[in-house]
Each structure stands twice: as C-alpha cells, then as structure tokens.
C-alpha cells in the first residue's frame, strides 16, 4: 500500500474560532502532505512495503527512524482530523463515560490529566487517552510516537507540535488544549475506537 492524504472530514473553516482555516491549510494541506510524500519515498524498497499502516508504524519503530517518523505522523494525523468536529466537546457516550470514571476518577479529572500531559510534553509530541491492559490511561509521547508503539491502543490524541497551535494560540499551549477538549473533541469517534480496542 502507499500512503494517501485524506480529505478533511469538514471544511477548512469549520473549526473556527478554536482552530482557524489558516492553521488547517498549513497543518493538513502542507504538514500532513509532507508526511505522506516523505513516507511513500522512504517506504520504497523496505521490508515493510505492502504492509498495513499500523504494521509499518510498529515494524519501523526503533529500526528505521526516517520511515517511522513519517509513517507514525501519517497514522496520528489520519485520526487527528477525525478526533475533532465542529461544535465538539460536550457529552461523552455513556459506556465510554462510565469506563473513564472507573479508570480515571471522573470526567473532570480525565480532562485535567489529559491537558496536563499535553502541557508537560517537552517539545513536539502528542498527548493521549489510550487503552492499555483493558484500562483507559493518559499518556504523552514525543515527536511521531504514539501509544501503538508502547503496547497500547490510542483512542484520543491531541497534536502538541507548534504547527498545530502557534498560528491561533502562539505560545499558549494550555489554552489550545483546553479549547481542544471543551470545543473540538469528537467523542463519538473516540467511543468508536474504544469499542474496537476492548
Ligand atoms: Fe501535526
């Protein structure tokens, strides 16, 4: 298989004012496209050619840094566009909400811990909700890594690379994370990934 850039599941201005058209034009149309193109070039002739994206990400981790960085970021961004929607945030589907309360204490605590993971990720990376050993956990990873290469299944991730927030929030990463949680998250997609993960 080769990597392809998906269309955004909404228009470029659909997430404003929390994420602007300009941010999505750079982030999706340029940054994600570069991961796709670089990933395709680096995949050619490797042992992972023809495998699924998840197999490529897991297989190249620790073995082929260039391929891993681009394939990992392609995987992360494919989901990232779907982890957001216009008028996002709001109610969490019942079964997922119950599991969040069971494993992380409360919805408020989950949001606090998720935001804190993003704030404290030093440099570029991602913060996550993931399913690990049957439990929902909060994680953070550097650069193009994800829970996939740390024995867990990602169900929600927020991109804390500066290209995701600097146009709209400048250095205010905490404000970006708060807006992501309160106004952008597509909890239905998170619930869908959660039910596949368990
Ligand atoms: Fe990104």
């Amino acid at each position: 298989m080769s990597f392809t850039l998906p269309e955004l599941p909404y228009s470029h201005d659909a997430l404003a004012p929390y994420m602007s058209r300009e941010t999505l034009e750079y982030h999706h149309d340029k940054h994600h496209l570069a991961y796709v193109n670089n990933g395709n070039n680096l995949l050619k002739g490797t042992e992972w050619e023809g495998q699924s994206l998840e197999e490529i990400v897991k297989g190249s981790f620790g073995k082929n840094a260039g391929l891993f960085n681009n394939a990992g970021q392609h995987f992360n961004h494919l989901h990232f566009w779907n982890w957001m929607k216009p008028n996002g945030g709001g109610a969490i589907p019942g079964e997922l909400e119950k599991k969040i309360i069971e494993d992380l204490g409360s919805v408020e605590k989950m949001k606090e811990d998720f935001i804190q993971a993003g704030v404290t990720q030093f440099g570029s990376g991602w913060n996550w909700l993931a399913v690990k050993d049957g439990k929902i956990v909060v994680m953070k990873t550097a650069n193009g890594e994800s829970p996939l290469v740390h024995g867990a299944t990602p169900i929600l991730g927020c991109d804390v690379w500066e290209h995701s927030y600097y146009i709209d929030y400048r250095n205010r990463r905490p404000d970006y994370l708060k807006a992501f949680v309160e106004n952008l998250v597509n909890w239905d997609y998170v619930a869908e990934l959660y039910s596949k993960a368990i």
Side-chain angles (χ1 to χ4, degrees):
M1 63 163 282
S2 62
F3 307 147
T4 51
L5 183 70
E7 292 285 322
L8 283 177
Y10 31 73
S11 70
H12 284 80
D13 47 20
L15 303 183
Y18 307 107
M19 189 174 283
S20 66
R21 162 183 284 276
E22 189 183 0
T23 289
L24 286 171
E25 283 172 352
Y26 275 88
H27 196 179
H28 172 271
D29 303 2
K30 297 179 194 293
H31 289 279
H32 190 173
L33 180 63
Y35 299 133
V36 166
N37 291 337
N38 293 336
N40 281 330
N41 288 333
L42 292 163
L43 181 60
K44 276 179 204 143
T46 69
E47 62 187 283
W48 301 286
E49 215 174 350
Q51 294 189 4
S52 73
L53 177 58
E54 292 196 16
E55 287 170 330
I56 296 165
V57 171
K58 287 185 194 171
S60 62
F61 182 59
K63 289 186 180 164
N64 182 329
L67 175 59
F68 171 77
N69 288 336
N70 287 282
Q73 283 290 72
H74 178 46
F75 172 86
N76 294 347
H77 286 80
L78 280 179
H79 289 291
F80 185 59
W81 311 128
N82 289 292
W83 277 320
M84 299 185 287
K85 68 172 188 180
N87 304 309
I92 301 174
E95 202 185 321
L96 174 61
E97 185 183 41
K98 197 167 150 246
K99 183 69 172 164
I100 285 171
I101 293 166
E102 195 180 307
D103 294 341
L104 298 172
S106 68
V107 169
E108 281 315 304
K109 184 77 168 64
M110 172 276 289
K111 289 179 179 177
E112 269 173 38
D113 291 352
F114 179 81
I115 289 170
Q116 190 59 15
V119 169
T120 56
Q121 170 54 41
F122 186 75
S124 296
W126 295 74
N127 55 314
W128 306 93
L129 291 182
V131 175
K132 188 166 193 175
D133 304 324
K135 288 198 164 189
I136 297 182
V137 294
V138 175
M139 296 177 72
K140 59 183 174 184
T141 59
N143 301 317
E145 290 182 25
S146 74
L148 260 196
V149 297
H150 296 287
T153 306
I155 59 172
L156 175 65
C158 185
D159 188 338
V160 295
W161 286 57
E162 287 184 349
H163 66 218
S164 195
Y165 64 90
Y166 225 80
I167 291 171
D168 299 320
Y169 299 88
R170 297 300 170 187
N171 62 327
R172 292 177 291 114
R173 191 191 282 189
D175 291 352
Y176 157 66
L177 283 157
K178 192 162 188 292
F180 178 84
V181 168
E182 297 299 339
N183 304 104
L184 292 174
V185 174
N186 178 354
W187 285 110
D188 291 330
Y189 187 60
V190 181
E192 189 186 316
L193 293 179
Y194 166 70
S195 56
K196 280 185 201 159
I198 51 165

